[in-house]
Each structure stands twice: as structure tokens, then as C-alpha cells.
Amino acid sequence: DSGVTQTPKHLITATGQRVTLRCSPRSGDLSVYWYQQSLDQGLQFLIHYYNGEERAKGNILERFSAQQFPDLHSELNLSSLELGDSALYFCASSVGSINNEQFFGPGTRLTVL
Amino acid sequence: GIQVEQSPPDLILQEGANSTLRCNFSDSVNNLQWFHQNPWGQLINLFYIPSGTKQNGRLSATTVATERYSLLYISSSQTTDSGVYFCAVLYNFNKFYFGSGTKLNVKP
């Protein structure tokens, strides 16, 4: 157990809908990262937050957004869902702002029907 | 961006055998991690190794940053070692890139 928690574990929804994925970092970690793992694209970095502020963006679609709250948990919002958004979404956390070891949560498996 | 290539893409071993997995990257990186993704999808940290050599039980890793590669050694493999092994790099102190992974199948 890495200490990073993600909810829900599984999510099934329809095209066009909106969902929210939640992540709680390890105790003491200030950074949260979001990743998407799909069969065709592999593991892709989406976005990084440090202590409530956005620090870096990767291949995150405009339909997706994230935020980190004062208690340091983070939410990833996915809207206008398409079939291709079906994937495993991981959250990771680290102590510092960027150059630190990351620890991954168990992931949320999203299925868009 | 940066290219991160892992080899071999697939590997089948008999239990007890040794193996070496390789991760090449096309530019200088700030750090490098190795992960094992088990059959249940969990990503498990193996090594945080920007440079040098580390060992943890039957696993060890070496990163030669100046030559832009890292190696993961698995000795006396066990069926529980099966899964996908990923390397991931931090580039430009900004973004993270994963390799496409090595899928390992250890047979009893």
C-alpha cells in the first residue's frame, strides 16, 4: 500500500457525461500528479499540482480539468466523455515540488459506454 | 519532448532465470524511476535512481545518465515477478514520460 488513495475504483458512465475522480496523497506529500493509462497511448502524464497550484501540464485535453484543495486532496474532472476516454486513471504524490520519488495510487478504471 | 524506449517489449522466463531490462532515453533527464505493474494494475515503486546503482533483494538497477540508459536486473525470477515493468523519467524539471514497458511472464 503506497498510502495514496483514489476513489472510486471503478466507474461506468455514458458518452457525453461528466465524472469526477478523487485522490488523497500520502500524509506529508504536497504534490499530486495525474496520469492516464490507455491501451493505445500507454501511460501519459496529465497534470501536476503542488500545494494547491498548478505546476505543469502534460497531454491533458481541454475537456479535462483538475484542482488541488487546501487539504491537499485533488480531483480530476472529465467532461463530455467519449469512448476513447475509457482508461485507467492514476494519481501519484510526492513530497516536494517536482524532483522527488512519486508514489502511485491504485487507480480508477473508467469505462465510457 | 523526449523519447523513452524500453527493451525487450516482451520477455518469457522460466522460474529461477535471470534477466536484464533496458530503458534508453533520448536526452538528459532529471530523475528516473522503475515501476512494476502487477496483474491487478497496481504500480509498485521499485527504484528511484537518477544515477548510480541500487539493490533491493533480487532486484537491482543501474542508471548511466551520461550515456542515457538504465538497466533493471532481476535475478532468480519468481512467478510473482510477472507483470509489466516501466521506466519513467522527469524531463526539463517539468514533465514525466513513461516508456512503453516490458511485459514479463515468469513460468513455473
Side-chain angles (χ1 to χ4, degrees):
Chain A
D1 186 353
S2 67
V4 179
T5 60
Q6 290 187 247
T7 57
K9 288 186 178 179
H10 302 277
L11 198 48
I12 302 174
T13 189
T15 54
Q17 295 300 302
R18 173 189 169 96
V19 297
T20 297
L21 312 184
R22 183 187 169 104
C23 168
S24 292
R26 295 185 316 158
S27 176
D29 284 0
L30 298 179
S31 273
V32 169
Y33 312 82
W34 286 97
Y35 293 85
Q36 179 195 58
Q37 185 177 30
S38 61
L39 284 175
D40 55 343
Q41 300 282 350
L43 266 158
Q44 290 200 94
F45 167 64
L46 296 179
I47 199 164
H48 168 219
Y49 277 85
Y50 174 74
N51 205 19
E53 292 187 6
E54 180 185 307
R55 283 299 180 95
K57 268 187 176 179
N59 298 326
I60 189 166
L61 299 173
E62 285 192 9
R63 299 183 286 107
F64 296 0
S65 65
Q67 58 184 131
Q68 187 180 26
F69 295 86
D71 67 352
L72 301 176
H73 90 272
S74 178
E75 293 179 358
L76 179 67
N77 300 295
L78 316 176
S79 62
S80 303
L81 285 167
E82 302 175 358
L83 296 178
D85 298 327
S86 295
L88 192 51
Y89 291 84
F90 286 104
C91 160
S93 73
S94 70
V95 171
S97 62
I98 191 72
N99 201 8
N100 301 104
E101 185 174 6
Q102 294 185 41
F103 294 87
F104 279 72
T108 292
R109 185 169 296 279
L110 173 66
T111 302
V112 182
L113 301 176
Chain B
I2 187 174
Q3 304 301 313
V4 181
E5 297 180 349
Q6 291 187 242
S7 59
D10 296 279
L11 188 57
I12 300 174
L13 295 177
Q14 208 63 39
E15 200 169 26
N18 303 329
S19 62
T20 301
L21 282 57
R22 187 176 181 103
C23 173
N24 291 336
F25 35 98
S26 60
D27 203 347
S28 299
V29 299
N30 310 116
N31 70 44
L32 185 145
Q33 283 190 248
W34 282 97
F35 297 92
H36 173 217
Q37 187 167 36
N38 63 24
W40 296 271
Q42 177 75 36
L43 279 166
I44 299 163
N45 287 42
L46 297 178
F47 295 101
Y48 173 76
I49 186 166
S51 63
T53 297
K54 290 186 177 180
Q55 179 150 12
N56 184 2
R58 295 181 296 104
L59 273 58
S60 64
T62 295
T63 297
V64 184
T66 52
E67 296 187 20
R68 301 178 186 168
Y69 73 89
S70 183
L71 302 174
L72 177 69
Y73 305 96
I74 305 175
S75 64
S76 304
S77 58
Q78 301 175 358
T79 56
T80 51
D81 295 332
S82 295
V84 184
Y85 290 80
F86 291 101
C87 67
V89 302
L90 172 64
Y91 179 59
N92 272 351
F93 289 105
N94 192 354
K95 296 179 183 177
F96 297 88
Y97 295 85
F98 274 77
S100 55
T102 291
K103 187 173 183 180
L104 175 64
N105 184 6
V106 181
K107 298 192 169 185

